[in-house]
């Protein structure tokens, strides 16, 4: 399912947001169509679009970062081996990934593990910056994983809480 730029331009901002949701809805189909060791980087880009960021790996491999934040609940890291073929496709907003975020880690290490967050909020009085990723906690609860950084972007602590955009956080619901 591919939307062309002109189609998105015609749809306007609402269409862009809808297009982002539509693309993330296509993820399960795109994943089914990609086989590790067979799919090429071109196959991945055709199905997922251009990556948010490309991370170099040892030996000539690279990892393509595909974010579905702030509207989606998943972020994908897709590794392309030195032979140009997909060697791994991971949804990274998982309890295992969250456990690997440790105090003292740098911001780039966290970004490389989890992808781009849904939001970044500075709390000047507390002298902290909080990055938040929205994720799905089975079976169907939207939650938030927060990483609290120092002003020089070193991890202080992590926490899991309610979705900051959920009805219980807006007052009245």
């Amino acid at each position: 399912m591919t939307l062309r730029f002109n189609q998105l331009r015609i749809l306007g901002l609402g269409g862009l947001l809808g297009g982002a949701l539509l693309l993330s809805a296509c993820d399960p189909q795109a994943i089914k169509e990609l086989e590790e060791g067979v799919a090429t980087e071109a196959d991945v880009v055709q199905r997922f679009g251009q990556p948010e960021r490309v991370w170099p790996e040892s030996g000539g491999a690279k990892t393509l970062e595909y974010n579905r934040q702030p509207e989606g609940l998943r972020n994908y890291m897709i590794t392309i081996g030195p032979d140009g073929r997909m060697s791994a496709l991971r949804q990274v907003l998982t309890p295992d990934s969250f456990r690997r975020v440790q105090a003292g880690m740098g911001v780039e290490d966290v970004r490389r593990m989890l992808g781009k967050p849904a939001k970044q909020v500075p709390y000047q009085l507390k002298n902290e910056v909080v990055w938040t990723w929205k994720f799905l906690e089975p079976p169907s609860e939207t939650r938030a994983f927060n990483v609290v950084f120092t002003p020089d972007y070193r991890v202080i602590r992590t926490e899991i809480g309610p979705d900051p955009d959920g009805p219980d956080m807006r007052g009245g619901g």
Side-chain angles (χ1 to χ4, degrees), residues 81-102:
D83 62 354
R85 300 204 179 278
M86 184 181 81
S87 60
L89 187 156
R90 300 176 319 278
Q91 193 291 106
V92 296
L93 300 181
T94 66
D96 184 53
S97 295
F98 300 153
R99 279 190 291 276
R100 292 186 1 233
V101 178
Q102 300 294 314

Side-chain angles (χ1 to χ4, degrees), residues 6-108:
N6 286 338
Q7 290 170 313
L8 290 175
R9 187 170 48 94
I10 291 168
L11 293 172
L13 181 59
L16 283 172
L17 292 174
L21 290 174
L22 184 62
L23 287 173
S24 67
C26 296
D27 288 345
Q29 180 63 35
I31 291 168
K32 284 183 196 175
E33 295 172 357
L34 298 172
E35 186 178 339
E36 288 182 10
V38 175
T40 64
E41 181 175 354
D43 295 331
V44 170
V45 171
Q46 179 183 16
R47 285 162 182 80
F48 277 83
Q50 291 299 317
E52 173 85 21
R53 191 162 181 180
V54 177
W55 297 93
E57 303 290 351
S58 62
K62 58 185 162 184
T63 298
L64 311 180
E65 177 184 322
Y66 287 97
N67 297 301
R68 300 304 187 232
Q69 303 283 305
E71 303 305 325
L73 302 173
R74 293 172 176 83
N75 280 350
Y76 299 97
M77 296 291 182
I78 302 176
T79 303
I80 306 296
D83 62 354
R85 300 204 179 278
M86 184 181 81
S87 60
L89 187 156
R90 300 176 319 278
Q91 193 291 106
V92 296
L93 300 181
T94 66
D96 184 53
S97 295
F98 300 153
R99 279 190 291 276
R100 292 186 1 233
V101 178
Q102 300 294 314
M105 288 178 73
V107 71
E108 286 295 297

